[in-house]
Amino acid sequence: MSTDPYLSVKALTKYIKKKFDADPHLRDVYVKGELSNVKIHTSGHIYFTLKDNATRLPGVMFSASAKSVKFKPESGMTVLIRGDVSVYEASGQYQLYAQSMQVDGIGDYYLAFEQLKEKLAKEGLFDALHKKQLPRFPKRIAVVTAQTGAAVRDIIITLHRRYPLAEVVLYPTLVQGAGAVQSIVQSIQAANTSNYDVLIVGRGGGSIEDLWAFNEEAVARVIVASKIPIISAIGHETDTTIADFVSDLRAPTPTAAAELAVPSQAELLEKISSYRSRMYRTVSITISQQQKMLERLTSSFPLAYPERLYRPFIERIERATDSLQRESLQYVSRSKEQYRTFDHRLKSRMPLQQIRQSETDVTELGRRLDYQVNQLLKDRQQQLSSSIRTLDALSPLKIMDRGYSIPYIEGAVVKSVTQVKTGDSLTIAMQDGMIQATVNEINPASKGDVNDG
């Protein structure tokens, strides 16, 4: 037997731990306190300190137990914890090992509800922006609820009573207890694979625990992701779940959900009857008004003498036709003339034609030149003949034929006695020859002799 009185820290700690574990009062304790230093590990373990005004007690809740906590533990919460007290040998510290945790003052479900509601509200999942419009006259309706019970009965009966035209398909779903969340999610997803106009998700009344599946986040998110407009009908009118907030329309009861999903056949028939009566009255009044209008029109001048209506138009047409024909002929005539002009111009611009025309012009000019030359020759001949006759008439020889002679002195004609003097030698031209004479005497003539001469 060892005589050393000192124990190791580990041995002492083990001894103390055994004392704690052996104490029946510490095996099952109920402790109330305020949470602080709450840390939720990724493994799911929750570490915290439970305190009051006087002391602090470290605690831990392992993930297996933490899964049963409906709310998210936060510092400052006053909680009721059931568990046991033992020693953590590594630190030599005793601590509380929590098995369950409840919020003091309010229920766990309520706190979990409020926490999830706040979280989804911050994400905007309750906004009207995400709400889908329900069709007025749905053809196919899916119902996600339990296969048995009052809820499904009320929904189907109401749908068939109000609107038998709609096809109703039930997706049997577990809506309470373990597996309810997964069943609800799967049913909604399955319904979305088909072509439905409206989806009703609901169940009958019950406690908050019974309805809790509809407060789970997975159910809320599958409702938001649904492409089919969803009407929530969960519990009674006073029951409100997270599913009600994210659904496109909340109904207070399953029966009300069916009433909101489809119109009333009776009301529709009544409306149709009312519309038909109004339509008959409207049509009758309209026909009466139209008949009166027809009578007025029939007795009006234009319809009483219709030919007088179009008479001016006939006249205008005839005049227009004449004008058109006239203008057409003139146009054709102008066109022909233009054609001829253009054709003449075109031909005149052709080299061969120009040569032929030049030949014609040369021929014509030659002919005209010959004519003019001949005519000029004739005129000159006539003028020559006339001049010859004049010259012949004025010729001195002709005068000398009548006995006159012409005296010359030194080659010049003697026209006056003053040109000669006695003794000059004169040459006298006679009709038939020349005479040489000498001036012997000059006797100038008096004025009377000259005038007589």
Side-chain angles (χ1 to χ4, degrees):
M1 184 175 179
S2 176
T3 57
D4 188 357
Y6 297 97
L7 298 174
S8 66
V9 176
K10 179 177 180 182
L12 180 58
T13 302
K14 282 184 173 292
Y15 177 78
I16 295 173
K17 179 174 171 41
K18 287 182 180 179
K19 289 294 184 181
F20 272 80
D21 294 340
D23 189 338
H25 297 290
L26 297 179
R27 291 177 183 174
D28 190 14
V29 297
Y30 293 80
V31 186
K32 176 181 177 181
E34 180 183 340
L35 291 175
S36 66
N37 299 324
V38 177
K39 295 180 181 176
I40 301 176
H41 196 270
T42 53
S43 62
H45 304 331
I46 302 173
Y47 299 94
F48 58 91
T49 299
L50 194 65
K51 67 178 183 178
D52 56 16
N53 295 332
T55 188
R56 296 171 178 267
L57 175 63
V60 61
M61 189 176 210
F62 294 117
S63 59
S65 300
K67 290 180 180 177
S68 62
V69 179
K70 299 300 183 184
F71 62 96
K72 180 182 179 183
E74 297 177 351
S75 296
M77 289 182 175
T78 300
V79 294
L80 303 175
I81 295 178
R82 180 182 179 182
D84 60 281
V85 179
S86 183
V87 175
Y88 180 51
E89 297 180 35
S91 62
Q93 185 181 33
Y94 77 91
Q95 60 183 10
L96 177 64
Y97 292 86
Q99 301 298 326
S100 66
M101 181 185 297
Q102 298 180 12
V103 177
D104 184 28
I106 58 175
D108 298 351
Y109 288 105
Y110 177 78
L111 181 59
F113 175 86
E114 290 297 329
Q115 288 178 341
L116 181 59
K117 178 182 174 184
E118 182 181 358
K119 176 183 177 182
L120 299 182
K122 288 181 179 177
E123 294 182 17
L125 300 188
F126 301 159
D127 295 346
L129 179 66
H130 298 292
K131 306 297 182 184
K132 294 176 283 293
Q133 187 72 29
L134 272 70
R136 188 176 180 185
F137 304 103
K139 297 178 180 178
R140 301 186 73 217
I141 301 173
V143 179
V144 174
T145 188
Q147 189 173 9
T148 59
V152 65
R153 185 177 64 253
D154 293 344
I155 291 172
I156 293 177
I157 291 175
T158 304
L159 289 175
H160 287 170
R161 173 177 55 80
R162 286 177 59 83
Y163 198 68
L165 295 176
E167 177 189 2
V168 181
V169 178
L170 173 65
Y171 284 80
T173 306
L174 184 63
V175 295
Q176 179 179 343
V181 174
Q182 184 179 3
S183 180
I184 295 170
V185 170
Q186 289 176 349
S187 294
I188 294 175
Q189 291 175 340
N192 272 270
T193 60
S194 187
N195 186 21
Y196 292 106
D197 299 313
V198 178
L199 175 58
I200 298 175
V201 178
R203 59 149 291 156
S207 65
I208 188 171
E209 292 82 358
D210 297 337
L211 304 179
W212 189 253
F214 294 95
N215 286 320
E216 292 290 348
E217 185 173 351
V219 174
R221 293 196 181 279
V222 78
I223 290 175
V224 172
S226 172
K227 67 179 182 181
I228 307 171
I230 291 181
I231 302 175
S232 64
I234 302 161
H236 301 296
E237 185 171 359
T238 56
D239 297 322
T240 303
T241 64
I242 296 297
D244 294 327
F245 288 105
V246 295
S247 295
D248 300 294
L249 183 64
R250 175 183 181 266
T253 62
T255 301
E259 292 176 348
L260 292 173
V262 295
S264 170
Q265 178 181 243
E267 293 177 358
L268 291 176
L269 291 175
E270 185 177 352
K271 284 185 179 178
I272 291 172
S273 178
S274 175
Y275 291 154
R276 183 170 56 187
S277 299
R278 291 170 57 185
M279 183 181 67
Y280 285 156
R281 288 196 300 273
T282 302
V283 172
S284 178
I285 293 172
T286 303
I287 290 175
S288 177
Q289 293 175 346
Q290 295 298 322
Q291 284 179 340
K292 292 179 180 178
M293 184 179 296
L294 178 61
E295 291 174 358
R296 287 198 302 272
L297 292 174
T298 304
S299 60
S300 63
F301 176 79
L303 294 181
Y305 304 97
E307 71 280 1
R308 299 185 184 181
L309 284 177
Y310 51 79
R311 184 187 298 169
F313 298 101
I314 294 177
E315 185 177 359
R316 288 175 59 184
I317 292 174
E318 291 177 349
R319 290 183 178 181
T321 303
D322 294 340
S323 177
L324 178 62
Q325 292 177 348
R326 185 170 58 255
E327 292 294 332
S328 299
L329 293 174
Q330 291 178 355
Y331 178 76
V332 171
S333 177
R334 288 195 298 270
S335 298
K336 288 182 177 179
E337 184 64 27
Q338 288 180 352
Y339 170 76
R340 287 192 292 270
T341 302
F342 292 148
D343 183 66
H344 177 71
R345 290 179 181 177
L346 180 61
K347 290 179 178 178
S348 65
R349 285 172 172 74
M350 296 174 64
L352 181 59
Q353 187 65 24
Q354 287 184 343
I355 293 172
R356 290 176 178 174
Q357 183 64 37
S358 297
E359 290 176 351
T360 303
D361 294 342
V362 169
T363 303
E364 177 63 19
L365 290 174
R367 187 188 62 78
R368 291 171 59 184
L369 180 60
D370 293 341
Y371 173 77
Q372 293 292 336
V373 170
N374 293 331
Q375 191 66 31
L376 181 62
L377 290 175
K378 288 181 180 178
D379 292 342
R380 292 293 185 269
Q381 287 176 351
Q382 290 178 357
Q383 290 178 359
L384 180 60
S385 300
S386 177
S387 298
I388 292 173
R389 286 193 300 271
T390 302
L391 289 174
D392 185 61
L394 297 176
S395 176
L397 296 178
K398 289 290 183 181
I399 298 173
M400 284 186 293
D401 287 343
R402 295 195 299 269
Y404 293 97
S405 60
I406 302 173
Y408 297 92
I409 185 170
E410 295 178 355
V413 176
V414 179
K415 297 180 179 180
S416 176
V417 293
T418 60
Q419 293 180 252
V420 296
K421 60 185 185 283
T422 304
D424 289 342
S425 179
L426 298 176
T427 301
I428 300 171
M430 303 296 287
Q431 177 186 9
D432 51 357
M434 306 295 289
I435 299 174
Q436 295 292 325
T438 302
V439 178
N440 295 320
E441 186 178 353
I442 300 173
N443 295 315
S446 62
K447 290 183 178 179
D449 293 336
V450 171
N451 293 335
D452 293 340

